[in-house]
Amino acid sequence: TITVNGSAQVLIHEPLDDPNDYRRTRVVDRFRTTPGSVMLLRAAGLASGEQSLHQVLAPDTGSRLILNLRMRPIIDAAGTPKVLEQPR
């Protein structure tokens, strides 16, 4: 995600118990996006399978304009993502 204009606070959460239960988390990091900042987050299924659970708060004032790019993995018949494989 690239912040084009505006700013907002981002909170990174960690699950307390079940990694799939987003109701019970704790904040482990926080930072502020500003114009020109880039935020990269790992999606589930890439490399180790870990993902970043994040929350973007509303801008303090005005609005925030972002450009969001996502990569969709190719899934094989066994359900395994093939995003990070080297071409043969």
Side-chain angles (χ1 to χ4, degrees):
T1 301
I2 302 166
T3 300
V4 177
N5 191 20
S7 135
Q9 186 169 21
V10 178
L11 307 176
I12 304 297
H13 295 262
E14 181 178 88
L16 292 175
D17 299 314
D18 178 2
N20 295 315
D21 183 1
Y22 295 165
R23 294 171 297 171
R24 294 185 31 81
T25 66
R26 69 182 178 99
V27 175
V28 294
D29 198 5
R30 64 182 66 226
F31 59 91
R32 179 162 298 282
T33 65
T34 57
S37 64
V38 176
M39 177 173 61
L40 300 175
L41 298 171
R42 181 187 305 257
L46 294 176
S48 67
E50 294 178 29
Q51 61 183 340
S52 296
L53 177 59
H54 70 287
Q55 175 184 17
V56 181
L57 303 180
D60 295 331
T61 60
S63 61
R64 178 173 167 252
L65 177 64
I66 63 169
L67 172 62
N68 199 356
L69 304 172
R70 294 176 183 244
M71 184 169 65
R72 299 259 184 221
I74 297 171
I75 308 295
D76 69 9
T80 305
K82 298 298 180 182
V83 174
L84 300 178
E85 285 190 359
Q86 295 293 324
R88 292 188 179 133

